[in-house]
Amino acid sequence: MSNLKAAITGVQGYVPDYILTNDELSTMVDTNDEWIVSRTGIKERRVLKGEGKGTSVMGVEVVNGLLKKTDTDPLEVDLIICATVTPDHVFPATANLIAATTGLDNAFNFDIGAACSGFIYALTTGALYIESGKYKKVIVVGADKMSSIVDYTDRTTCIIFGDGAGAVMLEPTTEEFGIIDSIHKSDGHGAEFLQMKAGGSKHPATETTVKNREHFAYQDGKTVFKFAVINMADYAEKVMKRNDLSGSDITYLVPHQANKRIVDATAKRMGIEDSKVMMNIQRYGNTTAATIPLLLWDYEKKLKKGDNLILAAFGGGFTWGAIYLKWAYDPKN
Ligand SMILES: CC(C)(COP(=O)(O)OP(=O)(O)OC[C@H]1O[C@@H](n2cnc3c(N)ncnc32)[C@H](O)[C@@H]1OP(=O)(O)O)[C@@H](O)C(=O)NCCC(=O)NCCS
């Protein structure tokens, strides 16, 4: 192994302008603001409106913003990885479309599909390319247009999800900053509890699959809830233990924003107080692969060089994991 670490040297987020409030949802399905807030913590979420606008539109926004913010020449970027379950097309990869529009003409690009764990899987993958010494600038994007696969007649799912994107730049450092450790897991036995039933090679689109609303996200909420709490906390604890960290060493827990109750239960199990838990679910809902980079973007000004962060996620697959990283820069103006 080289002594290189992959440090995050910039972060950028983007959410579409349109705000879908709980009150508006209450005009679409039998629900209300009080129920949604008390059961999920969500007040509003964003929706990308406009004919022909896919996830890559949001990916382009964050990559352009990131290039500008980090003063990076697009031709210097070696690799872009996009975590998403709502790609513009089954193929080509959304990362490829983002790269073409942002002028990353020397990069190679691919997508990672690990649902709500997509960003942490992609971050670990990107970090390994840097640690190998092979690449010097890797962009990791988490982006999802969940409104394109949410059934707005199903009150158990449409209240949760929203659209958004986030991205980080990874660069090598020989100092003890950046991605220090990561631990991931997948279990296909969980597939049936959180999935899109049709539209893949097993059940291609037919009149029947459309009629049966099988091209929307389906979830067994209670089962997902239970596994999310157990596994997010379990893996966050594992990565902390492996690095001799206790709750008091952690500056922030950066948890996937699935449901405020899932986040609260995870933090409690880990012994981390509320003030150390990043949270923005109230404004964006669950944006799937985008939640963690959107949190880093929202909290960027509060982060200092050397802060210890634990990133933790759980999602469809099932997929889950945790990353320990040391923040690599002080707030910039
Ligand atoms: C979906 C979820 C919010 C439902 O919350 P819950 O507390 O488990 O609620 P339940 O499913 O037990 O439903 C309780 C009641 O509320 C009703 N209900 C469900 N959605 C409702 C809504 N939007 N508004 C009002 N009532 C609703 C149910 O029909 C049920 O009524 P009943 O008791 O008469 O049958 C919750 O299970 C959850 O967040 N699961 C995890 C989802 C997730 O994180 N997915 C992304 C993967 S990372």
Side-chain angles (χ1 to χ4, degrees):
M1 283 290 278
S2 77
N3 62 351
L4 292 176
K5 293 255 180 292
I8 292 178
T9 55
V11 56
Q12 184 68 22
Y14 172 80
V15 287
D17 293 335
Y18 191 86
I19 299 174
L20 177 57
T21 62
N22 289 348
D23 286 339
E24 185 177 352
L25 276 173
S26 308
T27 67
M28 298 155 71
V29 288
D30 182 14
T31 191
N32 57 74
D33 179 60
E34 195 275 326
W35 193 95
I36 301 172
V37 172
S38 65
R39 304 309 287 166
T40 70
I42 302 167
K43 287 293 288 182
E44 57 191 39
R45 68 289 293 142
R46 302 299 179 103
V47 173
L48 181 65
K49 298 273 188 184
E51 193 63 32
K53 287 191 177 174
T55 294
S56 71
V57 168
M58 298 186 290
V60 166
E61 288 283 343
V62 285
V63 169
N64 275 334
L66 189 64
L67 291 170
K68 195 165 168 210
K69 202 167 163 181
T70 56
D71 199 16
T72 303
D73 177 348
L75 297 178
E76 283 176 9
V77 176
D78 300 300
L79 163 66
I80 166 166
I81 307 174
C82 180
T84 186
V85 284
T86 51
D88 283 27
H89 305 275
V90 173
F91 70 92
T94 298
N96 230 34
L97 303 176
I98 296 170
T101 310
T102 53
L104 307 187
D105 294 343
N106 292 324
F108 86 103
N109 327 295
F110 59 89
D111 289 357
I112 282 187
C116 296
S117 305
F119 183 77
I120 61 166
Y121 275 38
L123 190 61
T124 294
T125 307
L128 290 168
Y129 278 100
I130 295 275
E131 288 162 19
S132 73
K134 188 156 183 180
Y135 297 122
K136 298 209 160 35
K137 286 186 194 289
V138 174
I139 293 179
V140 179
V141 179
D144 269 302
K145 183 185 169 186
M146 294 306 289
S147 62
S148 66
I149 58 164
V150 160
D151 182 352
Y152 287 100
T153 66
D154 174 6
R155 68 177 182 173
T156 66
T157 53
C158 73
I159 55 159
I160 291 175
F161 295 103
D163 300 342
V168 297
M169 178 74 77
L170 289 177
E171 295 183 72
T173 175
T174 50
E175 296 182 305
E176 269 302 295
F177 295 108
I179 316 299
I180 308 291
D181 196 8
S182 62
I183 172 165
H184 299 287
K185 183 84 171 71
S186 312
D187 182 358
H189 293 102
E192 64 183 286
F193 303 113
L194 188 50
Q195 62 168 227
M196 195 158 105
K197 293 182 177 173
S201 55
K202 187 175 175 185
H203 299 297
T206 63
E207 263 182 53
T208 311
T209 62
V210 172
K211 204 168 90 225
N212 292 343
R213 312 188 78 77
E214 289 171 3
H215 296 273
F216 294 118
Y218 162 82
Q219 69 174 358
D220 170 348
K222 275 196 189 316
T223 305
V224 174
F225 193 101
K226 193 175 75 187
F227 278 93
V229 172
I230 295 168
N231 289 318
M232 255 165 65
D234 189 28
Y235 272 57
E237 274 172 346
K238 269 195 171 84
V239 88
M240 283 167 65
K241 204 167 174 191
R242 206 152 87 166
N243 291 278
D244 292 326
L245 297 167
S246 66
S248 60
D249 298 313
I250 304 305
T251 319
Y252 280 109
L253 171 66
V254 192
H256 168 57
Q257 306 284 285
N259 178 324
K260 184 173 184 297
R261 287 156 55 218
I262 293 178
V263 173
D264 289 346
T266 303
K268 196 168 167 207
R269 276 193 55 173
M270 293 171 64
I272 292 189
E273 61 202 66
D274 288 354
S275 62
K276 291 180 165 192
V277 180
M278 289 192 188
M279 192 80 86
N280 60 14
I281 194 170
Q282 63 280 9
R283 287 184 290 139
Y284 307 143
N286 179 349
T287 53
T288 304
T291 60
I292 288 181
L294 279 173
L295 283 172
L296 296 175
W297 180 55
D298 271 353
Y299 282 77
E300 188 188 14
K301 290 224 166 349
K302 295 187 177 165
L303 292 172
K304 292 187 293 298
K305 192 170 179 172
D307 282 351
N308 286 324
L309 308 187
I310 299 291
L311 282 46
F314 180 85
F318 289 142
T319 54
W320 66 98
I323 292 177
Y324 164 39
L325 74 83
K326 255 190 194 300
W327 197 248
Y329 60 93
D330 286 322
K332 300 166 188 168
N333 291 326

